[in-house]
Amino acid sequence: MSYLVRALAEDDWALLRAVRLQALADAPTAFGSTLTREQAFTEEAWRLRARGSAATRLFIAWSERTAVGIAGVYDEGDGSVQLVSVWVSAEHRRRGVARQLTMAALRFAAAQNIDVVRLWVTDGNSSARTLYESLGFAVTGNRQPLPSDPALEERELQVRLSARPDLPAGAGPA
């Protein structure tokens, strides 16, 4: 099966809302936010998220006419970005969708001349951690309670895109 990955635009706000709420309902311990919190967001908040910025962008994966996954990068304001919101619907997992989404986000970051990409992964989410490590992410040693469920812990990983010759700075999204 082939998947199409594309960046979201402001007019995709309703699609973003539907996919994000599905992700939060499906995998609540994978995210720092909660379904209840995001169900209360206004249309304008969803439009702002879908619009992105110079160093913030969300991507959707499609199979035929169905959105099956999401991922993005969020501008940390310090010259780095955080990989966020990585999720794939259960029936499309282990088919390379998360890798495609993550690579789209990394290519976008590289095109913006961002070198450092960080992420947080919940302890016990071994499939996500394996994916990230296969893409060059390494544990930084930083840990914190998961914001949406402080009983769980997450650890930080990061990658330097300058160490990835397949992601040249300023090359533009593929």
Side-chain angles (χ1 to χ4, degrees):
M1 182 173 291
S2 97
Y3 297 94
L4 170 69
V5 174
R6 72 167 177 85
L8 290 177
E10 182 176 350
D11 288 343
D12 294 317
W13 73 269
L15 171 64
L16 170 59
R17 182 183 193 277
V19 174
R20 177 67 174 171
L21 295 181
Q22 182 182 359
L24 289 165
D26 175 62
T29 61
F31 303 102
S33 190
T34 66
L35 178 62
T36 301
R37 176 179 176 263
E38 295 197 18
Q39 284 174 323
F41 286 177
T42 64
E43 177 181 328
E44 183 54 36
W46 288 109
R47 284 183 176 279
L48 182 63
R49 280 183 158 193
R51 182 181 319 133
S53 69
T56 296
R57 193 67 37 98
L58 289 167
F59 298 87
I60 290 282
W62 293 88
S63 173
E64 298 174 15
R65 295 182 181 159
T66 304
V68 299
I70 188 170
V73 287
Y74 177 80
D75 185 355
E76 290 289 300
D78 63 359
S80 71
V81 293
Q82 186 174 154
L83 182 68
V84 295
S85 302
V86 180
W87 174 82
V88 174
S89 64
E91 59 273 13
H92 294 275
R93 290 180 188 151
R94 303 202 189 310
R95 296 183 185 181
V97 182
R99 178 176 295 275
Q100 280 185 257
L101 285 162
T102 301
M103 286 302 298
L106 294 178
R107 282 191 293 272
F108 172 80
Q112 308 312 309
N113 293 309
I114 301 291
D115 186 36
V116 177
V117 180
R118 294 184 182 92
L119 64 86
W120 292 92
V121 64
T122 307
D123 287 350
N125 191 345
S126 59
S127 59
R129 185 162 170 189
T130 298
L131 167 68
Y132 301 138
E133 288 175 343
S134 77
L135 293 171
F137 284 86
V139 173
T140 66
N142 294 331
R143 300 177 59 82
Q144 68 182 20
L146 180 66
S148 62
D149 184 352
L152 300 174
E153 290 227 328
E154 58 183 359
R155 65 184 64 225
E156 184 184 51
L157 284 77
Q158 81 172 31
V159 64
R160 288 199 170 275
L161 298 181
S162 58
R164 300 265 328 238
D166 60 324
L167 293 170

